[in-house]
Amino acid sequence: MAQSNIKVAVQKFGNFLSSMVMPNISAFIAWGLITAFFIPTGFTPNESLAKMVSPILTYLLPLLIGYIGGKLVHDQRGAVVGAIATMGVIVGEPTVPMFLGAMIMGPLGGYVIKKFDQLIEGKIKAGFEMLVNNFSGGILGGALAILAFWAIGPAVKVLTGWLVNGVDWLVATNLLPLTSIIIEPAKILFLNNAINHGVLSPIGIEQAKTAGKSVLFLLEANPGPGIGLLLAYCIFGKGTAKRSAPGAALIQFFGGIHEIYFPYVLMRPMLFIAVILGGMSGVLTLVLLGGGLLAPASPGSIIAVLAVTPHSAGAYIANIAGVLVAAIVSFVVSAFILKTGKQKDEDIEEAARKMQEMKGKKSSVAGVFAENNGKMPEHVSKIVFACDAGMGSSAMGASLLRKKVKEAGLNINVTNTAISNLPSDAQIVVTQEELTPRAKNKLPNAYHVSVDNFLSSPEYDKLIDQLKNGDTNELNEVVEDAEANAPSPEDTPDSNDGLLLEKNIFLNQQFANKEEAIRFAGRALVESGYVKESYIEAMIARDAMTSTYMGNDVAIPHGTEEAKKDVLQSGFTVLQVPNGVDFDGNKVRLIFGIAGKDGTHLEILSGIAVTCSDMENIEKMVAAKSAKEIMDIINDKK
């Protein structure tokens, strides 16, 4: 348990570091391209345009990092105060690009103003809110800027000097390749972006400023180890791993999405040796030939690498050689491991699921491997929506598809359940993309449909078309009644029997992040007597496993399957968030907190699903001025 907590803490810290840099990668690339083209040794030297290089590096990039760092902590006010504080380190030590300083002062500014706002919450007299907000941000931001100018800036300059000197020493002693022993396993397990953008890029920028390039930009971003491993799978792999490897190789090498080769390593842990040796040989080649980049290559595509390579034949030769050598070594070692190891039909989908668990968040590439969806049955009588708990998202999805099935004149039973309870007679199983591998393991003979948006997925209409074009219209007229499921929306009663009360509809809410929003919804459920206190943490855990974002600006946080025991009675809470809150890159303006017991919540959930499938209704609820307006929209059966 302690080890797991440490891993989670490291993941969160690493993700936080990279989250400050990742949104600004386009700015780094712009700086790199301007440098590559317009400096005296660039492709098209231009003295006037080259004047942009230094200000972008010194001022714009650190300010963007500080702004995002503050926003991550306390939304817009945190962003502004974080940027003000970051200006202190920039002006205090203008000779050093203050990326590390921005990573300190941005979040610190956000944290300080957040604590201040919490301290004065509810204590400001009406009419003085704007005055207090503006002056508090200005005063605290200015004070932090002065602190940064006199103390943080000089300390960061010293720290940056130590780090750069350390890298120079590793290069001079030819020990830099040893960093691959740490970098390659760490990036595969859970820290690829944190290592590259949170640690290597800030130091690399300082090197590039003085030396014109930095090899650090290629320590993690080198596509060589990954392409070598995937090519070995193309030739010597087996089963779905071999079939999917060519497509993965294209995505990895030209698209720059390195994450796609991680599951292949996890299927055969001995392959860690291949990517480590590939990485070490690539770094050694780069060091010996003097390779390096002008700016970060993100994503780590061969195209991005060449785009920010210094304008000289020697630089291109060095960087291309570094990639090729890494690929060759990785290929040879991977081929040996695959040929001499135990041969079996490797399950790439299961490996992708394990990767998601280790990373602690949804993988952007796991859906690529969900290619074997089974065979569409000739005669379909039962479709099952499945999610982790069978409480929220699957029930909403089932309601929408049930309506479409009825409108299409098909006699098919549409139900929902938890993945662990999937019935053996389910012919078609619909799940969120990241849950599809689990559903396939549970019911491998069913036809599986993956969706990323339960409220407006195009997969619903595709499935209806498939069913209508098949033989399903000739099904027996008698269809089993879906006792465990929500009734058709037309049968939803006007009264919600205490499941959704006006006091549990909260208007004009603002949240810094999704966890804060989920906790607020959970607290409302607790205070209304729907759930036990422990249910709140289960809601956080459920969203961490699979995002509760449903599409159409709607999220439905609820507990895990194990937390059903903590539900005292079914109930809902609605949070109206006009400015939105981020749910894994998706803007959410309506949050429905759900507690479901014995299926008694499914009637109203069905109505909510149908209502929220129409964006016009979403806009009406977001603009509603009273709880009653929202209640009326949900209960409207038109």
Side-chain angles (χ1 to χ4, degrees):
M1 179 64 71
Q3 184 178 5
S4 176
N5 291 337
I6 293 173
K7 189 183 99 169
V8 170
V10 173
Q11 285 177 340
K12 286 185 176 180
F13 180 68
N15 288 334
F16 184 77
L17 289 179
S18 63
S19 293
M20 284 187 274
V21 180
M22 288 289 285
N24 301 312
I25 286 299
S26 57
F28 279 88
I29 292 174
W31 172 77
L33 293 175
I34 290 172
T35 302
F37 276 91
F38 303 128
I39 62 174
T41 58
F43 292 103
T44 56
N46 187 300
E47 184 178 354
S48 297
L49 294 177
K51 293 178 181 178
M52 290 190 288
V53 172
S54 181
I56 291 175
L57 179 65
T58 304
Y59 298 103
L60 178 62
L61 296 180
L63 279 174
L64 286 173
I65 292 173
Y67 182 90
I68 294 296
K71 187 173 184 178
L72 289 172
V73 176
H74 194 48
D75 204 37
Q76 199 63 40
R77 274 172 62 74
V80 173
V81 175
I84 296 171
T86 299
M87 200 65 194
V89 291
I90 294 173
V91 178
E93 293 294 341
T95 59
V96 177
M98 275 293 162
F99 300 105
L100 294 178
M103 288 182 175
I104 295 172
M105 296 310 301
L108 179 60
Y111 177 79
V112 170
I113 195 66
K114 179 179 181 179
K115 289 301 177 184
F116 176 83
D117 287 349
Q118 290 175 346
L119 184 65
I120 65 169
E121 185 176 5
K123 299 177 182 178
I124 304 174
K125 291 184 177 181
F128 288 85
E129 293 89 352
M130 183 176 294
L131 181 69
V132 173
N133 286 342
N134 289 342
F135 272 85
S136 61
I139 292 171
L140 291 174
L144 288 171
I146 295 172
L147 172 66
F149 183 95
W150 289 111
I152 307 299
V156 170
K157 181 179 181 179
V158 172
L159 175 61
T160 302
W162 288 348
L163 293 173
V164 172
N165 290 337
V167 171
D168 291 340
W169 178 80
L170 290 173
V171 173
T173 56
N174 292 324
L175 295 177
L176 193 63
L178 295 180
T179 58
S180 295
I181 297 174
I182 298 174
I183 291 174
E184 292 299 332
K187 67 188 268 193
I188 289 174
L189 293 176
F190 49 83
L191 283 175
N192 52 316
N193 287 328
I195 289 172
N196 195 25
H197 301 303
V199 179
L200 298 177
S201 291
I203 307 172
I205 290 288
E206 171 62 17
Q207 279 194 320
K209 180 185 178 184
T210 56
K213 62 184 177 183
S214 176
V215 71
L216 298 185
F217 295 135
L218 277 170
L219 294 191
E220 189 272 345
N222 187 343
I227 190 64
L229 178 138
L230 291 171
L231 290 176
Y233 262 104
C234 290
I235 300 173
F236 303 107
K238 293 197 65 173
T240 57
K242 181 175 183 176
R243 291 193 296 271
S244 61
L250 287 174
I251 294 172
Q252 190 267 346
F253 195 64
F254 294 103
I257 310 301
H258 290 204
E259 189 174 299
I260 201 165
Y261 78 81
F262 298 171
Y264 293 88
V265 178
L266 295 173
M267 282 192 301
R268 294 287 190 89
M270 284 290 289
L271 290 173
F272 274 107
I273 298 174
V275 292
I276 289 173
L277 292 178
M280 291 176 65
S281 59
V283 174
L284 180 60
T285 303
L286 291 166
V287 171
L288 293 178
L289 298 181
L293 302 179
L294 293 163
S298 182
S301 159
I302 187 64
I303 298 172
V305 168
L306 295 177
V308 289
T309 292
H311 180 45
S312 70
Y316 281 109
I317 292 173
N319 289 347
I320 292 173
V323 174
L324 286 178
V325 170
I328 292 170
V329 172
S330 177
F331 172 82
V332 171
V333 179
S334 297
F336 176 80
I337 293 172
L338 292 174
K339 286 290 289 181
T340 58
K342 182 179 179 181
Q343 294 294 304
K344 60 181 180 179
D345 187 354
E346 290 108 339
D347 189 349
I348 188 66
E349 297 174 37
E350 176 66 14
R353 184 185 65 78
K354 290 180 179 178
M355 179 190 69
Q356 285 191 149
E357 291 177 354
M358 286 190 293
K359 289 176 74 66
K361 59 182 180 180
K362 179 181 177 180
S363 167
S364 61
V365 300
V368 172
F369 304 114
E371 58 177 30
N372 181 22
N373 294 322
K375 183 179 179 181
M376 171 68 79
E378 290 186 6
H379 302 282
V380 178
S381 60
K382 190 169 188 176
I383 300 174
V384 178
F385 272 72
C387 64
D388 178 72
M391 185 187 303
S393 53
S394 62
M396 294 182 79
S399 297
L400 295 177
L401 187 61
R402 188 181 300 114
K403 183 171 183 271
K404 290 179 178 290
V405 165
K406 185 175 181 178
E407 291 172 348
L410 300 174
N411 292 317
I412 300 174
N413 183 28
V414 182
T415 69
N416 72 280
T417 184
I419 286 181
S420 60
N421 296 326
L422 271 171
S424 59
D425 61 343
Q427 296 167 290
I428 298 177
V429 178
V430 185
T431 51
Q432 285 173 294
E433 288 176 339
E434 58 269 36
L435 294 177
T436 299
R438 284 177 57 191
K440 288 183 177 180
N441 288 338
K442 179 71 175 178
L443 213 61
N445 295 324
Y447 180 79
H448 291 267
V449 177
S450 300
V451 298
D452 61 356
N453 182 334
F454 267 134
L455 284 180
S456 58
S457 176
E459 296 299 326
Y460 295 160
D461 292 329
K462 291 180 183 178
L463 180 58
I464 293 297
D465 287 340
Q466 286 179 281
L467 294 171
K468 289 178 69 175
N469 293 330
D471 297 325
T472 53
N473 285 315
E474 299 176 5
L475 289 175
N476 192 324
E477 291 298 320
V478 180
V479 180
E480 59 178 300
D481 184 35
E483 299 93 353
N485 298 280
S488 299
E490 293 80 356
D491 299 327
T492 303
D494 290 327
S495 171
N496 52 61
D497 297 325
L499 297 180
L500 178 58
L501 307 175
E502 286 191 29
K503 71 172 186 177
N504 286 330
I505 298 178
F506 300 88
L507 305 178
N508 297 313
Q509 298 300 304
Q510 293 187 12
F511 303 103
N513 51 56
K514 67 172 184 176
E515 181 173 338
E516 185 177 308
I518 294 172
R519 290 190 182 279
F520 186 100
R523 175 57 53 191
L525 293 173
V526 171
E527 292 179 354
S528 294
Y530 294 129
V531 298
K532 298 179 182 177
E533 184 83 20
S534 54
Y535 190 76
I536 299 176
E537 293 302 323
M539 295 175 74
I540 299 296
R542 170 62 181 81
D543 187 82
M545 289 191 306
T546 311
S547 177
T548 52
Y549 173 71
M550 296 293 294
N552 289 6
D553 296 354
V554 173
I556 55 163
H558 55 280
T560 60
E561 183 178 11
E562 292 77 12
K564 287 183 176 180
K565 64 181 185 302
D566 298 327
V567 179
L568 303 175
Q569 59 179 323
S570 294
F572 289 79
T573 182
V574 181
L575 313 183
Q576 181 200 63
V577 191
N579 294 327
V581 59
D582 180 75
F583 268 64
D584 304 307
N586 301 295
K587 184 178 181 180
V588 168
R589 296 185 292 161
L590 285 173
I591 298 172
F592 295 87
I594 299 172
K597 189 175 182 66
D598 301 329
T600 55
H601 67 301
L602 295 178
E603 290 185 359
I604 185 173
L605 186 59
S606 174
I608 290 173
V610 174
T611 298
C612 292
S613 66
D614 187 341
M615 280 303 297
E616 183 178 345
N617 290 330
I618 298 293
E619 297 298 340
K620 288 179 181 178
M621 285 190 281
V622 171
K625 301 301 182 183
S626 69
K628 186 178 185 304
E629 284 185 62
I630 293 179
M631 296 268 291
D632 290 343
I633 295 169
I634 292 175
N635 288 328
D636 187 357
K637 296 185 292 183
K638 293 179 181 180

